[in-house]
């Protein structure tokens, strides 16, 4: 007897052998059931070798208790001690699966299935499993026989007799035999139905791929044809009844539980389509309607039950369509979008534990392998395996995947699938979530051979393998493109030129030969630059492919790298700054404007990083003016000074364009900005502030060059139109008025000559051909238009407006704001025009009629010939003009009474009108949405084409790039145009009501 307070030697031994509850284990060992063997050291050693010794011991006791009499108990225990194969198999299963322990307790003679240890028993196939299920004539007996076969698979698995791939294949073979048995039961129950039709069961998914889990939906597709002489309609009805019955036999819960669900939702039209179709109906669907993912699913198709000849015919008929799927538009983007959608649908609380669908999970490996199979399998039949690991091996052998990458992915996939198997085996439940309970994690870790601190080791290995998958699964597609043009080690395979071109075409490259030349130029050689490029390019190629013009992205990257490749900070920036490389890829492939701005001064790439480059946050007008005025002060002469100012403008235009593109596209770390209005305000404010600062610097340079410190006349620049409204786009001219006032003692003519010289010199300097984009000054909104003087004194403006001003000029002055030059003079000009733009008591009826007449005339005369009025952003239906004239009419009529309307900004005025209840919240939102969308389209056109435009591009690639900027994925250009028309149609209807009073 053990002394009080002291533990027994058995207790200590149990701890040493891995029991977590030695007290309970000791009581079980002391029970009558194990009395004949409790002192045999072989038993304790065998229990300690299992994944969960406590679970194994409990299962053994239950199994002994369930035996029919003392003789049966003694037979079990004697065999257990004498036969090591049985001992390892039986205890291994009991220590890994509570569900199979329950089965053995219900069917205590089934342990005999684990005794046989013949060579043919080690790797059974469909035929052996069919023999094991042969006597099952009912759904209940089929379940019992199925579990008995599953026992042997699990035993070989947990004992290491079979590896992951062999176990998964055996599970698929058992599923095949089970489907055949279930179909036989259904046919026996309805012999007339069976006689009328030919029914083929085609396995899909993991069953079709010969890589099934312990518990998984078995995906199938049914193909039916009429038997000789039978009516096709009746035959299909009979086939549908048989298929439905077969599915119920496997799926329904009985006293012995269920086997697994049979899922036919991969069929054409999914749940909405007929369960059984003829072969010709399948073919018609796939030829006309099938989506990319449906061809991807067909990679796994394998006939398993019923009429195997018909099933083989189905696979052979559809195979050509599968291997041409990579030629479909947006093929790679569709596959990747499907993968992203799967991740997005995972509940946030589960994503970190999701072994199959989460980032770095099994699906990442499977999608990557399937993508490569579809691209290259048409030309290389060795790649056409439905089994992931076999396909990965073939891809590596053919040079489509680097051998080292393939080995790492193979290891990771085997580990993650083994984890999945152990998780499911415990309760035989369909799950892909890693448990949180420490006891569960300990059992899984020990079952995988992690005996020293199994919980910590399991988490460490899981995270390590998931990280490998995350790192490699997308690069897998791009990295071999570099190997195709680089020097490889002896014995390494590479993509052939044809295979590399295939892959680039699948990625959306229009000129794969040129792309390969760029890759060769970037990645060849043994320099540090080439080594870093080889590391970066696999990721960059993926980001380029996510754009509408991958060719331009790669070409532009080569140009930037050629210009900066020897600059140490450039390569360091791309390698070390988290956001810089992705931001650069987005900017270089989004259109012409941003790359053109960058190519003129490639060092601006520093702005794309997270560090000291200033980032992409637009700078304030004060900061811009300070920098430009300082640069002007250091320059020698007016031309050099304005060149410096234009250089700052070019850099800041690039900063704004890059910020706009990155925010519109989103990054891996940051989704695209959802508030389109905020992006419009960002661009409008930044470009307007930059234009004002550039004009201020140019004015300073011209005055200093011609007159020294003081101009003979005070001089101010008034912003008009979009400039005054802080709504300039990338391609907008600067609408301005020039006003001056002679200084004391200065002759009026001398002052006028000086003012006119300033204006002409400013315009000249800002348009001198150079590497920097010109800034065009437009003064056509001045009194008398093009016929009037370019610059007037304040008194001249006062006299003109008092005597000659027209209502359109009052409307134009709503946007007037001082932007550069003498602040006091600018303020007095604004005071002068306020009564004109906010007339007391509002506009008279005649003035309102005149504005409406002008708008109608503009619609009739100014829309370009041949332009689609539903898609013209400025003058078209519901476009900028419609919204702005509606808002400006409210300002002219109510600005005198509502201070909030006294603003030069359209969106701000619209919000003020809503706050003043001049327009409903819903109507204001409709107008705002249309105005923002039209502005975004104009900005997109300038970014994509590099030149301004008021309508959507006609070129398909440019149109796709505009769509990508606006948030529309590949293949959704039609949706973009429909949405634009819908949005602007609503705005036009509202404008006609509010503006014309219709």
């Amino acid at each position: 007897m053990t002394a009080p307070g002291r533990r027994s030697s058995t207790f200590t031994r149990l701890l040493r052998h891995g029991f977590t509850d030695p007290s309970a284990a000791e009581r079980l060992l002391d029970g009558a059931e194990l009395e004949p063997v409790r002192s045999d050291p072989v038993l304790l050693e065998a229990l300690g070798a299992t994944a969960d010794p406590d679970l194994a011991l409990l299962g053994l006791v239950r199994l002994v208790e369930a035996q029919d009499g003392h003789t049966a108990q003694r037979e079990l225990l004697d065999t257990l001690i004498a036969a090591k194969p049985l001992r390892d198999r039986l205890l291994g299963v009991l220590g890994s699966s509570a569900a199979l322990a329950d089965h053995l307790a219900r069917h205590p003679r089934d342990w005999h299935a684990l005794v046989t240890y013949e060579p043919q028993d080690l790797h059974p196939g469909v035929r052996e499993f069919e023999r094991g299920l042969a006597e099952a004539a009912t759904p209940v007996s089929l379940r019992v026989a199925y579990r008995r076969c599953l026992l042997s698979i699990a035993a070989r698995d947990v004992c290491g007799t079979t590896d992951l791939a062999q176990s998964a294949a055996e599970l698929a073979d058992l599923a095949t035999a089970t489907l055949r048995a279930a179909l036989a039961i259904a046919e026996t129950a309805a012999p007339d139905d069976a006689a009328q039709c030919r029914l083929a069961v085609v396995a899909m998914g993991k069953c079709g791929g010969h890589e099934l889990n312990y518990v998984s939906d078995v995906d199938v597709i049914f193909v039916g044809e009429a038997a000789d002489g039978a009516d096709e309609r009746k035959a299909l009805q009979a086939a549908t009844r048989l298929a439905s019955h077969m599915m119920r036999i496997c799926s329904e819960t009985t006293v012995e539980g269920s086997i697994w669900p049979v899922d036919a939702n991969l069929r054409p039209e999914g749940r909405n389509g007929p369960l059984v179709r003829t072969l010709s109906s399948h073919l018609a669907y796939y030829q006309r309607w099938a989506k990319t993912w449906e061809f991807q699913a067909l990679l796994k198709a394998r006939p398993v039950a019923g009429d195997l000849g018909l099933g083989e015919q189905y696979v052979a008929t559809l195979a050509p369509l599968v291997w041409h799927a990579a030629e479909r538009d947006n093929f790679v983007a569709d596959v990747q979008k499907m993968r992203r959608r799967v991740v997005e649908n995972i509940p946030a609380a589960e994503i970190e534990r999701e072994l199959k669908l989460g980032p770095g999970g099994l699906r990442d490996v499977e999608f990557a392998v399937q993508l490569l199979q579809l691209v290259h399998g048409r030309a290389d039949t060795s790649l056409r395996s439905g089994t992931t690991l076999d396909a990965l091996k073939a891809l590596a052998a053919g040079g489509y995947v680097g051998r080292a990458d393939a080995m790492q992915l193979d290891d990771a996939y085997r580990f993650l699938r083994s984890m999945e198997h152990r998780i499911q085996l415990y309760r035989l439940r369909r799950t892909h979530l890693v448990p949180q309970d420490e006891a569960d994690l300990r059992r899984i870790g020990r079952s995988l051979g992690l005996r020293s601190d199994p919980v910590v080791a399991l988490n460490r290995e899981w995270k390590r393998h998931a990280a490998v998958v995350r790192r490699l699964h997308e690069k897998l597609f791009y990295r071999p493109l570099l190997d195709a043009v680089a020097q490889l080690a002896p014995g390494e395979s590479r993509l052939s030129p044809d295979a590399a071109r295939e892959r680039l075409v699948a990625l959306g490259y229009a000129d794969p030969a040129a792309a390969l030349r760029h890759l060769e130029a970037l990645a060849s050689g043994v320099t540090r630059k080439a080594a870093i490029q080889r590391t970066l390019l696999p990721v960059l190629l993926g980001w380029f492919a996510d754009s509408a013009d991958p060719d331009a992205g790669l070409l532009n990257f080569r140009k930037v790298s050629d210009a900066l490749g020897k600059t140490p900070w450039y390569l360091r920036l791309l390698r070390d700054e988290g956001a810089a490389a992705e931001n650069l890829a987005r900017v270089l492939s989004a259109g012409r404007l941003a790359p053109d701005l960058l190519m003129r001064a490639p060092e601006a790439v520093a702005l794309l990083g997270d560090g000291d480059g200033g980032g992409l946050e637009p700078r304030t007008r004060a900061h811009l003016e300070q920098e430009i005025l300082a640069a002007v002060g250091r320059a020698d002469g007016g031309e050099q000074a304005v060149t410096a100012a234009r250089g700052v403008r070019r850099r800041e235009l690039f900063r704004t364009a890059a910020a706009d593109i990155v925010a519109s596209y989103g990054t891996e770390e940051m989704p695209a900005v959802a508030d389109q209005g905020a992006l419009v305000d960002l661009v409008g404010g930044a470009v307007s502030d930059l234009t004002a600062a550039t004009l201020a610097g140019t004015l300073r340079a011209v005055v200093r060059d011609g007159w020294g410190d003081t101009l003979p006349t005070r001089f101010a620049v008034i912003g008009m139109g979009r400039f005054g409204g802080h709504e300039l786009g990338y391609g907008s001219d600067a609408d301005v008025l020039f006003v001056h006032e002679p200084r004391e003692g200065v002759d009026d003519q001398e002052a006028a000559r000086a003012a006119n010289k300033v204006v002409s010199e400013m315009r000249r300097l800002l348009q001198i051909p150079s590497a920097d984009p010109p800034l065009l000054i437009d003064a056509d909104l001045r009194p008398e238009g093009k016929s009037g003087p370019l610059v007037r004194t304040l008194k001249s403006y006062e006299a003109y407006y008092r005597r000659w001003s027209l209502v359109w000029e009052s409307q134009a002055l709503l946007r007037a704001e001082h932007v550069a030059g003498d602040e006091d003079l600018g303020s007095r000009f604004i005071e002068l025009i306020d009564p004109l733009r906010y007339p007391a008591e509002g506009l008279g009826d005649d003035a309102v009629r005149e504005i409406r007449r002008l708008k109608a005339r503009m619609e009739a005369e100014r829309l370009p010939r041949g332009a689609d009025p539903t898609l013209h952003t400025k003058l078209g239906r519901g476009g900028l003009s419609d919204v702005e004239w509606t808002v400006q009419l409210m300002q002219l009529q109510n600005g005198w009474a509502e201070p909030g309307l006294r603003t030069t900004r359209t969106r701000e005025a619209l919000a003020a009108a809503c706050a003043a209840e001049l327009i409903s919240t819903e109507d204001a939102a409709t107008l705002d949405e249309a105005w923002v969308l039209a502005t975004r389209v104009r900005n997109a056109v300038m970014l994509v084409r590099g030149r301004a435009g008021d309508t959507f591009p006609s070129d398909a690639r440019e149109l796709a790039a505009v769509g990508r900027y606006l948030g529309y994925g590949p293949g959704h250009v039609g949706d973009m145009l429909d949405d634009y028309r819908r949005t602007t149609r609503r705005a036009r209807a509202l404008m006609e009501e509010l503006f014309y009073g219709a």
Side-chain angles (χ1 to χ4, degrees), residues 89 113-125 128-129 152-153 156 161-162 170:
R89 288 177 169 200
L114 302 179
V115 174
T116 308
Y117 199 69
E118 300 299 326
Q120 66 268 24
D121 173 59
L122 294 182
H123 301 294
E128 287 76 21
F129 288 125
S152 63
I153 295 176
R156 286 187 292 276
T161 308
T162 54
E170 289 182 12

Side-chain angles (χ1 to χ4, degrees), residues 899-919:
L901 290 172
R902 299 170 202 165
T903 175
T904 62
R905 308 180 188 215
T906 301
R907 298 188 73 212
E908 202 173 277
L910 185 56
C914 181
E917 298 183 353
L918 300 174
I919 184 173

Side-chain angles (χ1 to χ4, degrees), residues 537-651:
L537 275 166
V539 187
L540 290 169
L541 285 170
W543 288 325
F544 293 149
D546 190 36
S547 73
D549 196 349
D551 298 81
L554 182 55
L555 171 62
N556 289 330
F557 180 68
R558 180 180 175 184
K559 289 179 179 178
V560 173
S561 294
D562 286 347
L564 293 176
K566 295 182 180 178
T567 310
W569 63 261
Y570 168 67
L571 294 172
R572 191 166 57 245
L573 174 82
L574 295 185
R575 185 191 64 198
D576 299 338
E577 295 269 0
E582 184 175 5
N583 289 347
L584 179 62
R586 299 297 184 202
V587 167
L588 293 181
S589 57
R592 295 179 184 173
L593 178 65
D596 285 350
L597 293 169
L598 181 60
M599 297 310 167
R600 290 165 181 161
E603 65 276 3
V605 76
L607 299 175
L608 299 171
D610 299 324
D612 299 328
L616 297 179
E617 189 72 28
R619 302 172 70 196
T620 64
R621 182 185 296 193
H623 279 101
L624 292 169
E625 277 198 26
Q626 184 179 17
E627 180 182 0
I628 289 175
L629 291 176
V632 166
R634 292 190 298 269
D636 294 327
E639 287 196 10
Q640 189 183 95
V642 175
T643 297
R646 288 174 66 180
V648 173
R649 177 171 176 265
R650 179 202 60 240
R651 184 198 68 211

Side-chain angles (χ1 to χ4, degrees), residues 883-926:
V883 176
E884 288 166 3
W885 281 61
T886 302
V887 172
Q888 288 162 11
L889 182 58
M890 284 189 276
Q891 288 181 281
L892 287 165
Q893 289 179 308
N894 302 282
W896 65 277
E898 293 292 341
L901 290 172
R902 299 170 202 165
T903 175
T904 62
R905 308 180 188 215
T906 301
R907 298 188 73 212
E908 202 173 277
L910 185 56
C914 181
E917 298 183 353
L918 300 174
I919 184 173
S920 71
T921 302
E922 183 180 352
D923 289 349
T926 298

Side-chain angles (χ1 to χ4, degrees), residues 44 174 531 891 915:
L44 208 53
L174 175 57
Q891 288 181 281

